[in-house]
Amino acid sequence: MASAASTNMNAVRDTMDVLLEISRLLNTGLDMESLSICVRLCEQGINPEALSSVIKELRRASDTLRASENSTSQG
């Protein structure tokens, strides 16, 4: 049984490594942890397109907030 679990973990690790490489090739900006969370959410039934939209919107909001903070601290 331990052998099967080990084989399964290796397969999961290999799959995540391939997904991370694809993510990097597509310049998604996702690290391994973020990508892993996205995969788990999709496995739970979250719509991938909706998840992508939420991530994009969060990045836009973060960039806007960061720009606002930079202009406030410089001015």
Side-chain angles (χ1 to χ4, degrees):
M1 188 67 161
S3 175
S6 176
T7 301
N8 187 37
M9 283 303 295
N10 286 338
V12 169
R13 195 172 296 117
D14 289 346
T15 300
M16 286 306 299
D17 287 343
V18 169
L19 287 175
L20 183 61
E21 185 61 29
I22 292 169
S23 174
R24 287 182 178 148
L25 289 171
L26 295 173
N27 294 318
T28 64
L30 297 173
D31 59 13
M32 181 61 93
E33 182 181 9
S34 300
L35 181 61
S36 187
I37 291 168
C38 290
V39 168
R40 279 185 267 149
L41 287 169
C42 290
E43 287 173 343
Q44 294 292 321
I46 299 296
N47 181 317
E49 290 181 31
L51 181 57
S52 172
S53 295
V54 168
I55 291 169
K56 289 177 188 176
E57 185 59 34
L58 287 171
R59 284 183 177 164
R60 276 188 221 111
S62 177
D63 290 345
T64 301
L65 181 60
R66 200 173 297 122
S68 172
E69 288 175 348
N70 286 341
S71 67
T72 303
S73 66
Q74 291 177 358

